[in-house]
Amino acid sequence: MKQLIYIVLMFPAFLVSQERISGKVLEANNENQDIGLAGANVYWLNSEVGTVTNIDGDFTLLYKPEFNKLVISYVGFKTDTLTINSPKFIKHWLKPTDNLDEITITSRKQATAKSYMQAQNVFTVSSEELLKAACCNLSESFETNPSIDVNFADAISGTRQIKMLGLTSPYILITTENIPSIRGASQAYGLSFIPGTWVESIQVTKGSGSVVNGFESIAGQINTELVKPSTDDKLFVNLYGATNERLELNTHINTKVNDKWYTGLYLHGNTHNKKHDVNNDGFLDMPLFNQINVMNRWQYVDTQKGFVSFINLKFLNDEKQSGQLTFNPETDRLTTNSWGSEIDTRRYEVSTKFGYVNPEIPWQSLGVQTAFSSHNQESYFGLNTYNIKHNSLYANAIYNSIISDSRHKIKTGVSYTYDHYDEFVNTIDYERTENSVGAFFEYSFDNLELLNLTAGIRVDHHNLLGTFVTPRLHARYSPWSKSAFRISFGRGKRSANIFTENQQLFSTSRQINILNSGGVIYGLDPEIAWNYGFSYLQGFNLFGRKADITFDYYKTDFVNQVVVDWETPTEINFYNLEEKSFAKSFQLELNYNAFEGFDLRTAYKFYNVKTDYNSGRLERPLTPKHRFFINLGYKTKLKENNAQWKFDTTFNWLGDQRYANTTANPVQYQLPERTPTVATLNAQITKVFSSKFEVYLGGENITNLRQPNPVLGVDDPFGANFDSTFVYGPIFGSMYYAGLRYKIK
């Protein structure tokens, strides 16, 4: 025991016992005064090891013999590169310049990038990766990504749902520029409300997220960064058409108002008005829809004073119709003449971001985020009516600084949320107001080369959930080159919006039962879970080409969960978890640049997701245990005027999945215990004619796989056995599309 205590006490000393250089960066002036430059960048050339000078211009930096070129830079001063042969103290004066030196760095840009340096397990999907598929909206942006699973929620609405670590999107914090955006009323369809062309990049974090972004994250976070008016094209046009007669148009118009203000108008419209019934079951294979989506985005930048801000104004009108081919909403709405559904959504959003970086002390910054949204959905499904109004307000203030030097960073702040829900479910009106105020503190230690960790804690007071504490921890250790061992754990808590998160239940004849009455939301208790994770990333050279391999394992343990029980065929039951519920996820991924322009990405994923239902412990329905993924991408060399060919192919194989129990149904409405396996193939070819114009041609589900009889009880859609939720694979079959992109820089 004494030896263990000694090791623990000496561990911090071990971390700082490595060889380091120290020094001082000063301003060269005619008065021979030693004026330290605070916030100067000091880093080793061709490495990710660096730091920032403190208020007196002092710095300390890790030294290794292979590090011999030290770069020192500061805005408004000439950049110097020093040759260092041994660890020592350095005193260096930077000379001011009237013209900033221009440095051009050319490197191969990765479409999907993983970090070796961050404590969190984060990978970034760039706009280049998004262009590998049609990418009409955010829900269709993950087809070439092995970490996110995408499938249809039901056979009626055409809604795609995503899963990460074996859990559906309500357990994932989905943000837009780190402001929670797809939650509450927008949970079911919100991913289709963000057009793909508006997206600059997507950051996916596995495991519990940062305390800065709230207490709701359980399985991870998906953050979408939007294109910026200051860097986006002055004019961008994307026209898309598919063989299923879906049409889409995206237009961006960006203008520089003056030296500090930029603005952009982003227009999105898509439509599908052709009825298709490829499997001849009398139901539309995909809904008819019309969507208009408009965003006006303002950006303010004042680099001299350290200010940057964004203002976003959004409007959405989304209309969907689905059901039987014979359904006419003018005459058949909410009647038994013909089964049909309409979902009409109007949504208004206003969001702002304000950031200030102290020019004199650049490691100190302040950020304020605010967002307001008004969401109104009116819908019916056969004889079921579901309307929801959701008004939401969010505010978050964040202060960043350092302790002693840039290895020790802190974030602290306060946040506030307000949500008012008014739901009408058939004949029952559910109305509630939720509000919470919280404070958070996050400490990060980062010596770049060997170890970094992020430890955070937040305390929130919620009018319905009470006062509670949310801890989160992420750590990375790199014992050798191009390696990253990561661990994480954290707690999440959330209100389960059982109707809007499970809207597919309305496209059935099931009776809705809430079996508990003592809880604060629909009579149910809040959901609480702990997430634990481990990952290992290793980069290496294979036959002289770059490659990396990743192993990760995550487990989510629910302390309480609102169980969604489909095991009685004529009912759907909601109740509090009594025993155990868990989700285990293992993923192995290999990325390899086999030769110039050719990239291979392949992954295997295993899920073990089980819940103790009233009928016993069972696998989560329609969650495959095994998944295999492979993506091949090839780009030719750039020619004159940036002309190029791009080729991309994605193959997905899903193992069999458990059907919810149907043994109580009449024989003709019974399903087997498990589904068949599913294999799909997507491909796209892009011809870039110039930096202004390109065309693309692609196909989804090229092998024309179709799930037979996806709707149960089509012969009697108003009978007791009608159910459209048993979807495990494609419904429509193969689909081909073409499009063009035109842009003016």
PDB file of all heavy atoms in Angstrom, residues 20-42:
ATOM      1  N   ARG A  20      12.734  19.769 -21.089  1.00  0.00           N
ATOM      2  CA  ARG A  20      11.958  20.874 -21.621  1.00  0.00           C
ATOM      3  C   ARG A  20      12.882  22.043 -21.916  1.00  0.00           C
ATOM      4  O   ARG A  20      13.962  22.166 -21.351  1.00  0.00           O
ATOM      5  CB  ARG A  20      10.872  21.314 -20.628  1.00  0.00           C
ATOM      6  CG  ARG A  20       9.804  20.265 -20.405  1.00  0.00           C
ATOM      7  CD  ARG A  20       8.742  20.751 -19.421  1.00  0.00           C
ATOM      8  NE  ARG A  20       7.702  19.765 -19.264  1.00  0.00           N
ATOM      9  CZ  ARG A  20       6.637  19.655 -20.062  1.00  0.00           C
ATOM     10  NH1 ARG A  20       6.481  20.499 -21.054  1.00  0.00           N
ATOM     11  NH2 ARG A  20       5.739  18.719 -19.872  1.00  0.00           N
ATOM     12  N   ILE A  21      12.414  22.899 -22.817  1.00  0.00           N
ATOM     13  CA  ILE A  21      13.077  24.178 -23.001  1.00  0.00           C
ATOM     14  C   ILE A  21      12.161  25.246 -22.429  1.00  0.00           C
ATOM     15  O   ILE A  21      10.941  25.068 -22.354  1.00  0.00           O
ATOM     16  CB  ILE A  21      13.385  24.476 -24.486  1.00  0.00           C
ATOM     17  CG1 ILE A  21      12.080  24.624 -25.279  1.00  0.00           C
ATOM     18  CG2 ILE A  21      14.277  23.417 -25.086  1.00  0.00           C
ATOM     19  CD1 ILE A  21      12.286  25.216 -26.644  1.00  0.00           C
ATOM     20  N   SER A  22      12.743  26.337 -21.995  1.00  0.00           N
ATOM     21  CA  SER A  22      11.961  27.461 -21.507  1.00  0.00           C
ATOM     22  C   SER A  22      12.533  28.727 -22.119  1.00  0.00           C
ATOM     23  O   SER A  22      13.648  28.727 -22.664  1.00  0.00           O
ATOM     24  CB  SER A  22      11.999  27.547 -19.979  1.00  0.00           C
ATOM     25  OG  SER A  22      13.338  27.684 -19.519  1.00  0.00           O
ATOM     26  N   GLY A  23      11.768  29.787 -22.062  1.00  0.00           N
ATOM     27  CA  GLY A  23      12.266  31.004 -22.664  1.00  0.00           C
ATOM     28  C   GLY A  23      11.316  32.161 -22.512  1.00  0.00           C
ATOM     29  O   GLY A  23      10.312  32.090 -21.775  1.00  0.00           O
ATOM     30  N   LYS A  24      11.668  33.240 -23.213  1.00  0.00           N
ATOM     31  CA  LYS A  24      10.892  34.469 -23.138  1.00  0.00           C
ATOM     32  C   LYS A  24      10.845  35.074 -24.538  1.00  0.00           C
ATOM     33  O   LYS A  24      11.880  35.171 -25.213  1.00  0.00           O
ATOM     34  CB  LYS A  24      11.537  35.439 -22.148  1.00  0.00           C
ATOM     35  CG  LYS A  24      10.678  36.616 -21.727  1.00  0.00           C
ATOM     36  CD  LYS A  24      11.423  37.464 -20.712  1.00  0.00           C
ATOM     37  CE  LYS A  24      10.518  38.482 -20.037  1.00  0.00           C
ATOM     38  NZ  LYS A  24       9.541  37.866 -19.112  1.00  0.00           N
ATOM     39  N   VAL A  25       9.652  35.468 -24.964  1.00  0.00           N
ATOM     40  CA  VAL A  25       9.464  36.117 -26.259  1.00  0.00           C
ATOM     41  C   VAL A  25       9.192  37.590 -25.990  1.00  0.00           C
ATOM     42  O   VAL A  25       8.290  37.943 -25.210  1.00  0.00           O
ATOM     43  CB  VAL A  25       8.302  35.485 -27.052  1.00  0.00           C
ATOM     44  CG1 VAL A  25       8.123  36.201 -28.387  1.00  0.00           C
ATOM     45  CG2 VAL A  25       8.573  34.004 -27.283  1.00  0.00           C
ATOM     46  N   LEU A  26       9.970  38.460 -26.643  1.00  0.00           N
ATOM     47  CA  LEU A  26       9.879  39.893 -26.384  1.00  0.00           C
ATOM     48  C   LEU A  26       9.678  40.663 -27.686  1.00  0.00           C
ATOM     49  O   LEU A  26       9.961  40.167 -28.782  1.00  0.00           O
ATOM     50  CB  LEU A  26      11.141  40.402 -25.676  1.00  0.00           C
ATOM     51  CG  LEU A  26      11.529  39.662 -24.395  1.00  0.00           C
ATOM     52  CD1 LEU A  26      12.809  38.891 -24.621  1.00  0.00           C
ATOM     53  CD2 LEU A  26      11.656  40.618 -23.235  1.00  0.00           C
ATOM     54  N   GLU A  27       9.232  41.890 -27.532  1.00  0.00           N
ATOM     55  CA  GLU A  27       9.052  42.785 -28.670  1.00  0.00           C
ATOM     56  C   GLU A  27      10.339  43.557 -28.916  1.00  0.00           C
ATOM     57  O   GLU A  27      10.877  44.213 -28.020  1.00  0.00           O
ATOM     58  CB  GLU A  27       7.901  43.758 -28.393  1.00  0.00           C
ATOM     59  CG  GLU A  27       7.716  44.806 -29.489  1.00  0.00           C
ATOM     60  CD  GLU A  27       6.670  45.838 -29.145  1.00  0.00           C
ATOM     61  OE1 GLU A  27       5.953  45.646 -28.132  1.00  0.00           O
ATOM     62  OE2 GLU A  27       6.578  46.845 -29.872  1.00  0.00           O
ATOM     63  N   ALA A  28      10.837  43.482 -30.152  1.00  0.00           N
ATOM     64  CA  ALA A  28      12.031  44.257 -30.516  1.00  0.00           C
ATOM     65  C   ALA A  28      11.627  45.710 -30.720  1.00  0.00           C
ATOM     66  O   ALA A  28      10.711  46.007 -31.490  1.00  0.00           O
ATOM     67  CB  ALA A  28      12.659  43.698 -31.792  1.00  0.00           C
ATOM     68  N   ASN A  29      12.302  46.615 -29.998  1.00  0.00           N
ATOM     69  CA  ASN A  29      11.964  48.039 -30.110  1.00  0.00           C
ATOM     70  C   ASN A  29      13.226  48.875 -30.040  1.00  0.00           C
ATOM     71  O   ASN A  29      14.304  48.395 -29.687  1.00  0.00           O
ATOM     72  CB  ASN A  29      10.973  48.454 -29.014  1.00  0.00           C
ATOM     73  CG  ASN A  29      11.508  48.170 -27.622  1.00  0.00           C
ATOM     74  OD1 ASN A  29      12.393  48.874 -27.124  1.00  0.00           O
ATOM     75  ND2 ASN A  29      10.983  47.112 -26.980  1.00  0.00           N
ATOM     76  N   ASN A  30      13.092  50.140 -30.378  1.00  0.00           N
ATOM     77  CA  ASN A  30      14.251  51.039 -30.444  1.00  0.00           C
ATOM     78  C   ASN A  30      14.676  51.561 -29.086  1.00  0.00           C
ATOM     79  O   ASN A  30      15.688  52.245 -28.962  1.00  0.00           O
ATOM     80  CB  ASN A  30      13.939  52.220 -31.377  1.00  0.00           C
ATOM     81  CG  ASN A  30      13.727  51.756 -32.807  1.00  0.00           C
ATOM     82  OD1 ASN A  30      14.357  50.792 -33.241  1.00  0.00           O
ATOM     83  ND2 ASN A  30      12.842  52.437 -33.532  1.00  0.00           N
ATOM     84  N   GLU A  31      13.877  51.274 -28.063  1.00  0.00           N
ATOM     85  CA  GLU A  31      14.169  51.815 -26.738  1.00  0.00           C
ATOM     86  C   GLU A  31      14.891  50.808 -25.851  1.00  0.00           C
ATOM     87  O   GLU A  31      15.116  51.050 -24.671  1.00  0.00           O
ATOM     88  CB  GLU A  31      12.864  52.254 -26.070  1.00  0.00           C
ATOM     89  CG  GLU A  31      12.141  53.331 -26.866  1.00  0.00           C
ATOM     90  CD  GLU A  31      10.781  53.677 -26.271  1.00  0.00           C
ATOM     91  OE1 GLU A  31      10.422  53.064 -25.250  1.00  0.00           O
ATOM     92  OE2 GLU A  31      10.100  54.550 -26.808  1.00  0.00           O
ATOM     93  N   ASN A  32      15.264  49.664 -26.454  1.00  0.00           N
ATOM     94  CA  ASN A  32      15.990  48.620 -25.738  1.00  0.00           C
ATOM     95  C   ASN A  32      15.282  48.189 -24.455  1.00  0.00           C
ATOM     96  O   ASN A  32      15.912  47.899 -23.443  1.00  0.00           O
ATOM     97  CB  ASN A  32      17.417  49.088 -25.406  1.00  0.00           C
ATOM     98  CG  ASN A  32      18.226  49.331 -26.667  1.00  0.00           C
ATOM     99  OD1 ASN A  32      18.114  48.563 -27.628  1.00  0.00           O
ATOM    100  ND2 ASN A  32      19.019  50.392 -26.663  1.00  0.00           N
ATOM    101  N   GLN A  33      13.951  48.197 -24.502  1.00  0.00           N
ATOM    102  CA  GLN A  33      13.174  47.732 -23.353  1.00  0.00           C
ATOM    103  C   GLN A  33      12.737  46.290 -23.576  1.00  0.00           C
ATOM    104  O   GLN A  33      12.371  45.909 -24.694  1.00  0.00           O
ATOM    105  CB  GLN A  33      11.950  48.618 -23.143  1.00  0.00           C
ATOM    106  CG  GLN A  33      12.274  50.047 -22.732  1.00  0.00           C
ATOM    107  CD  GLN A  33      11.033  50.895 -22.578  1.00  0.00           C
ATOM    108  OE1 GLN A  33       9.979  50.566 -23.106  1.00  0.00           O
ATOM    109  NE2 GLN A  33      11.151  51.979 -21.827  1.00  0.00           N
ATOM    110  N   ASP A  34      12.788  45.490 -22.515  1.00  0.00           N
ATOM    111  CA  ASP A  34      12.334  44.103 -22.600  1.00  0.00           C
ATOM    112  C   ASP A  34      10.832  44.053 -22.348  1.00  0.00           C
ATOM    113  O   ASP A  34      10.383  44.004 -21.197  1.00  0.00           O
ATOM    114  CB  ASP A  34      13.086  43.238 -21.588  1.00  0.00           C
ATOM    115  CG  ASP A  34      14.518  42.972 -22.024  1.00  0.00           C
ATOM    116  OD1 ASP A  34      14.851  43.297 -23.179  1.00  0.00           O
ATOM    117  OD2 ASP A  34      15.278  42.435 -21.208  1.00  0.00           O
ATOM    118  N   ILE A  35      10.050  44.083 -23.418  1.00  0.00           N
ATOM    119  CA  ILE A  35       8.588  44.027 -23.306  1.00  0.00           C
ATOM    120  C   ILE A  35       8.128  42.642 -23.751  1.00  0.00           C
ATOM    121  O   ILE A  35       8.263  42.264 -24.921  1.00  0.00           O
ATOM    122  CB  ILE A  35       7.923  45.118 -24.174  1.00  0.00           C
ATOM    123  CG1 ILE A  35       8.420  46.502 -23.752  1.00  0.00           C
ATOM    124  CG2 ILE A  35       6.415  45.029 -24.079  1.00  0.00           C
ATOM    125  CD1 ILE A  35       7.920  47.624 -24.637  1.00  0.00           C
ATOM    126  N   GLY A  36       7.630  41.858 -22.798  1.00  0.00           N
ATOM    127  CA  GLY A  36       7.190  40.506 -23.116  1.00  0.00           C
ATOM    128  C   GLY A  36       5.941  40.506 -23.981  1.00  0.00           C
ATOM    129  O   GLY A  36       5.052  41.342 -23.821  1.00  0.00           O
ATOM    130  N   LEU A  37       5.881  39.559 -24.912  1.00  0.00           N
ATOM    131  CA  LEU A  37       4.722  39.408 -25.787  1.00  0.00           C
ATOM    132  C   LEU A  37       3.829  38.291 -25.243  1.00  0.00           C
ATOM    133  O   LEU A  37       4.206  37.106 -25.269  1.00  0.00           O
ATOM    134  CB  LEU A  37       5.163  39.082 -27.216  1.00  0.00           C
ATOM    135  CG  LEU A  37       5.646  40.255 -28.070  1.00  0.00           C
ATOM    136  CD1 LEU A  37       6.133  39.761 -29.424  1.00  0.00           C
ATOM    137  CD2 LEU A  37       4.538  41.274 -28.259  1.00  0.00           C
ATOM    138  N   ALA A  38       2.676  38.658 -24.728  1.00  0.00           N
ATOM    139  CA  ALA A  38       1.729  37.669 -24.211  1.00  0.00           C
ATOM    140  C   ALA A  38       0.931  37.068 -25.357  1.00  0.00           C
ATOM    141  O   ALA A  38       0.468  37.781 -26.245  1.00  0.00           O
ATOM    142  CB  ALA A  38       0.781  38.330 -23.211  1.00  0.00           C
ATOM    143  N   GLY A  39       0.772  35.741 -25.359  1.00  0.00           N
ATOM    144  CA  GLY A  39      -0.044  35.079 -26.366  1.00  0.00           C
ATOM    145  C   GLY A  39       0.684  34.743 -27.644  1.00  0.00           C
ATOM    146  O   GLY A  39       0.046  34.380 -28.643  1.00  0.00           O
ATOM    147  N   ALA A  40       2.012  34.831 -27.674  1.00  0.00           N
ATOM    148  CA  ALA A  40       2.762  34.424 -28.862  1.00  0.00           C
ATOM    149  C   ALA A  40       2.714  32.899 -28.997  1.00  0.00           C
ATOM    150  O   ALA A  40       2.745  32.168 -28.002  1.00  0.00           O
ATOM    151  CB  ALA A  40       4.207  34.904 -28.766  1.00  0.00           C
ATOM    152  N   ASN A  41       2.641  32.418 -30.227  1.00  0.00           N
ATOM    153  CA  ASN A  41       2.618  30.980 -30.501  1.00  0.00           C
ATOM    154  C   ASN A  41       4.044  30.447 -30.595  1.00  0.00           C
ATOM    155  O   ASN A  41       4.866  30.991 -31.357  1.00  0.00           O
ATOM    156  CB  ASN A  41       1.875  30.693 -31.804  1.00  0.00           C
ATOM    157  CG  ASN A  41       0.423  31.093 -31.722  1.00  0.00           C
ATOM    158  OD1 ASN A  41      -0.302  30.632 -30.852  1.00  0.00           O
ATOM    159  ND2 ASN A  41      -0.009  31.968 -32.617  1.00  0.00           N
ATOM    160  N   VAL A  42       4.325  29.399 -29.845  1.00  0.00           N
ATOM    161  CA  VAL A  42       5.644  28.768 -29.858  1.00  0.00           C
ATOM    162  C   VAL A  42       5.423  27.277 -30.096  1.00  0.00           C
ATOM    163  O   VAL A  42       4.747  26.608 -29.306  1.00  0.00           O
ATOM    164  CB  VAL A  42       6.394  28.991 -28.529  1.00  0.00           C
ATOM    165  CG1 VAL A  42       7.797  28.396 -28.605  1.00  0.00           C
ATOM    166  CG2 VAL A  42       6.453  30.467 -28.179  1.00  0.00           C
TER     167      VAL A  42
END
